[in-house]
Amino acid sequence: MSSISTNNRRIAKNTLLLYVRMLFLMLVNLYTSRVILRILGVDDYGIYNAVGGIVLMLSFLNSALSNGSSRFITYELGKKDSSCLNIIFCTILNAHLLLAIIVVLIAETVGLWFVTNKLGLAADRLNAALLAYHFSVLTSVATITQVPYTATIIAHERMQIYAYASIFEVVLKLLILYLLPILGHDRLETYAVLLFIVQIIIISIYRVYSIRKFSETKYKFIFNKKKFQEITSFSSWSLLGNAAHALTGQGTNILLQMFFGPKLVAARAISLQVNMAANQFVNNFKLAADPQIVKYYAAGDVGTSKRLTLNTAKFSFFLMLFLCLPIYVVADPLLKLWLVIVPPYTLIFLKLIILQSLFSVFDTCFYSGLYACGRVKENALISPFILSLQFPVIYIAFKLGGSPVFLSYAGIMATLILAIIVKPLLLVKLAGYNWDDIKTVFIPCCKTAIAAFIPSLFVAHFLSKDYWQYAVLLVIVMAIVIFCILYIGIRGDQRIEILNLIKNKILRK
């Protein structure tokens, strides 16, 4: 029990630091989104997201390889085998350098042809869109080669530099808002160039820190074929999944551009940004817990690894509920206050993506259990198939004149299948979990969500006339969610421990 308590304190400390970082990032990112939308205009904002989406689609290989990179670096740290770390790091970095070259070749040939001929861009914005595309490719290359350094920092649980660098990044992005109107050039082109410069600065910070602090990040031209095969074998099972995510995420933005134009792309990008802010809060909790889940499994303490996986899923859901339900009930005035001019379909996109995110918590957190024990093959075959079905179904629906909202309904259905059926079944069949373990997550989460949603929507029916009422509504809904989590979602002993922790923190101040 003492090891679990120590582990929980470590996770709590790292999570608190990441949350402070994320609160600042969320507020600044929401502010910058509003200003960028006003400075660029709805059409250029949509164009940037559409061309950037093509680059992100081409980078799906990086997501797959980065999963394997992070897992192997963390696993070796858990085994306390320092002799292999430098070999693994250098091999991973060389693999990412090769991947960056492949992405550039594809992006500047097939991708460039698609942007020019198939994206349906207005002739007077084509040159600006192409320049933005080229710099998006360069930004993607820089990000790809950064993965091994970021993975090492997270594996060592040095969340301080991760937090401080992220805060510095958003400060630089605020500077971009100041420079765009002053520089006087085409604003879409300038925005793409300045974002690339910011990315280079942040990457340099991470690399200098990693090289100075971690001996394994000293680069040598090492390419261990055996280790590379192990990493790529593990990563290959994530390849289809990341391709499917790229297709359904960025691919659907491209479909929106092709069938409905940049205003709908802008609407969906805005809804995703609000949702991403909430998701990042949850991901920070998961980011702090995942290295511990892997390390305990690597050390042979499978029971602790399993308990951490289940607790991470449950508390991630509660955190997402606390963040998303208030946003859901005040979405309309929130968007009007935030953006002033709200692109069409933004409200319905936002509400539906919030519902989808609640279920996606189970999908991503349960995957950690499979990831820790290295059993990702079956998930890599099933999940991508379900996700990838969305793209042709959405394409056919749009081709037949369907509403753009169909995109969101398809996403909710696919997420439900993965979160409620596929991932729990794989945990039970492959990772040593049982159905009672799964129930300890699903039952309290479902009870809490139902108990929180019903009174919140009831109160929202009466408090929806002006901004003062919406402010009162927001406070009431947050109080309802907290009450439901404490008295329905968690056990009595956990509630007492949480309340005592809060009391001690207050008294200490």
Side-chain angles (χ1 to χ4, degrees):
M1 291 296 293
S2 61
S3 63
I4 297 175
S5 178
T6 302
N7 167 69
N8 287 338
R9 285 196 295 270
R10 185 184 298 114
I11 292 175
K13 180 182 177 181
N14 287 332
T15 303
L16 180 62
L17 180 63
L18 290 171
Y19 281 161
V20 172
R21 155 196 175 267
M22 186 46 57
L23 180 61
F24 179 76
L25 263 61
M26 182 185 71
L27 294 174
V28 175
N29 282 333
L30 292 178
Y31 170 75
T32 55
S33 297
R34 168 182 172 153
V35 179
I36 285 296
L37 183 63
R38 176 175 57 81
I39 293 175
L40 293 183
V42 174
D43 285 345
D44 275 3
Y45 185 80
I47 289 171
Y48 184 80
N49 280 278
V51 298
I54 294 175
V55 178
L56 289 175
M57 278 189 66
L58 295 174
S59 301
F60 71 90
L61 285 169
N62 180 52
S63 299
L65 192 56
S66 65
N67 287 337
S69 303
S70 180
R71 195 261 181 186
F72 274 82
I73 291 172
T74 306
Y75 196 88
E76 292 299 329
L77 282 174
K79 290 171 61 179
K80 304 188 187 307
D81 185 359
S82 58
S83 60
C84 290
L85 274 174
N86 183 249
I87 295 174
I88 290 175
F89 177 85
C90 293
T91 301
I92 289 172
L93 180 55
N94 285 325
H96 278 83
L97 290 170
L98 177 61
L99 176 59
I101 294 172
I102 294 172
V103 167
V104 170
L105 291 175
I106 297 175
E108 293 297 341
T109 53
V110 178
L112 185 60
W113 171 84
F114 187 88
V115 171
T116 305
N117 298 285
K118 296 296 181 180
L119 209 54
L121 298 170
D124 62 329
R125 299 307 295 149
L126 181 58
N127 287 336
L130 288 176
L131 188 141
Y133 175 76
H134 292 312
F135 273 93
S136 294
V137 173
L138 291 175
T139 302
S140 177
V141 168
T143 304
I144 289 171
T145 58
Q146 172 58 25
V147 166
Y149 297 94
T150 306
T152 303
I153 291 171
I154 293 173
H156 282 276
E157 300 181 66
R158 299 292 181 87
M159 302 306 176
Q160 297 93 333
I161 183 63
Y162 188 71
Y164 298 148
S166 299
I167 291 172
F168 183 55
E169 181 177 358
V170 296
V171 171
L172 291 177
K173 288 181 178 178
L174 281 174
L175 181 61
I176 289 177
L177 301 182
Y178 175 76
L179 291 175
L180 275 177
I182 294 175
L183 293 177
H185 191 63
D186 184 283
R187 291 182 178 180
L188 177 58
E189 295 180 355
T190 305
Y191 182 60
V193 173
L194 291 177
L195 278 183
F196 169 70
I197 294 172
V198 167
Q199 193 65 32
I200 294 299
I201 293 172
I202 298 303
I203 283 173
S204 300
I205 293 172
Y206 279 129
R207 295 195 181 188
V208 170
Y209 179 86
S210 297
I211 292 170
R212 288 186 175 180
K213 295 293 183 180
F214 312 125
S215 59
E216 65 266 24
T217 60
K218 301 291 192 302
Y219 179 74
K220 304 168 187 173
F221 189 75
I222 299 174
F223 194 84
N224 187 292
K225 185 177 179 181
K226 182 180 177 182
K227 291 294 181 183
F228 177 73
Q229 288 175 341
E230 291 177 3
I231 294 168
T232 53
S233 175
F234 179 88
S235 301
S236 64
W237 297 116
S238 301
L239 181 62
L240 291 175
N242 285 284
H245 277 292
L247 188 65
T248 56
Q250 304 306 322
T252 50
N253 270 353
I254 294 170
L255 289 180
L256 282 175
Q257 169 67 33
M258 293 171 63
F259 285 95
F260 301 102
K263 285 184 173 62
L264 268 292
V265 178
R268 180 155 173 82
I270 290 166
S271 67
L272 289 174
Q273 185 145 24
V274 176
N275 181 67
M276 190 182 303
N279 267 308
Q280 284 175 328
F281 268 93
V282 177
N283 288 339
N284 280 337
F285 180 76
K286 187 173 177 295
L287 185 65
D290 277 354
Q292 292 297 317
I293 292 171
V294 175
K295 287 176 182 177
Y296 271 98
Y297 192 92
D301 194 350
V302 178
T304 301
S305 179
K306 287 169 61 176
R307 283 191 292 275
L308 282 175
T309 300
L310 297 171
N311 284 333
T312 299
K314 184 165 65 173
F315 285 100
S316 292
F317 180 87
F318 292 153
L319 181 58
M320 181 64 80
L321 182 67
F322 176 74
L323 294 168
C324 285
L325 183 52
I327 295 174
Y328 185 91
V329 296
V330 299
D332 188 28
L334 176 66
L335 288 172
K336 290 176 181 175
L337 182 65
W338 173 34
L339 300 175
V340 182
I341 300 174
V342 182
Y345 287 96
T346 305
L347 178 62
I348 186 64
F349 278 154
L350 176 58
K351 286 192 168 186
L352 292 177
I353 197 67
I354 284 174
L355 294 177
Q356 182 179 339
S357 292
L358 282 171
F359 297 108
S360 69
V361 167
F362 299 128
D363 182 26
T364 55
C365 290
F366 285 158
Y367 178 76
S368 296
L370 300 170
Y371 175 79
C373 64
R375 298 298 300 270
V376 295
K377 173 182 176 181
E378 290 78 2
N379 177 73
L381 294 174
I382 299 171
S383 295
F385 174 74
I386 295 171
L387 285 173
S388 61
L389 285 178
Q390 293 179 73
F391 189 83
V393 170
I394 292 169
Y395 177 82
I396 292 170
F398 286 175
K399 195 74 173 176
L400 295 175
S403 166
V405 181
F406 183 83
L407 178 154
S408 297
Y409 293 131
I412 290 174
M413 183 57 65
T415 301
L416 272 172
I417 294 171
L418 291 174
I420 306 301
I421 300 173
V422 174
K423 288 298 193 302
L425 187 62
L426 292 177
L427 281 178
V428 171
K429 296 294 184 182
L430 303 176
Y433 292 72
N434 57 59
W435 288 110
D436 287 335
D437 293 331
I438 306 301
K439 288 178 184 177
T440 62
V441 177
F442 277 152
I443 292 176
C445 287
C446 290
K447 286 181 178 179
T448 304
I450 294 170
F453 257 97
I454 292 175
S456 296
L457 295 178
F458 179 78
V459 174
H461 179 72
F462 296 99
L463 296 176
S464 56
K465 293 183 176 61
D466 55 46
Y467 283 111
W468 286 110
Q469 289 193 8
Y470 280 120
V472 173
L473 173 62
L474 192 63
V475 173
I476 292 174
V477 171
M478 293 172 70
I480 289 172
V481 176
I482 292 173
F483 179 85
C484 291
I485 291 172
L486 288 176
Y487 291 93
I488 298 175
I490 63 178
R491 301 191 312 268
D493 59 327
Q494 292 176 324
R495 178 172 62 252
I496 293 171
E497 185 179 351
I498 291 172
L499 292 175
N500 286 337
L501 179 63
I502 295 172
K503 187 186 300 182
N504 291 335
K505 290 291 183 183
I506 294 174
L507 291 175
R508 188 179 298 172
K509 291 181 180 179

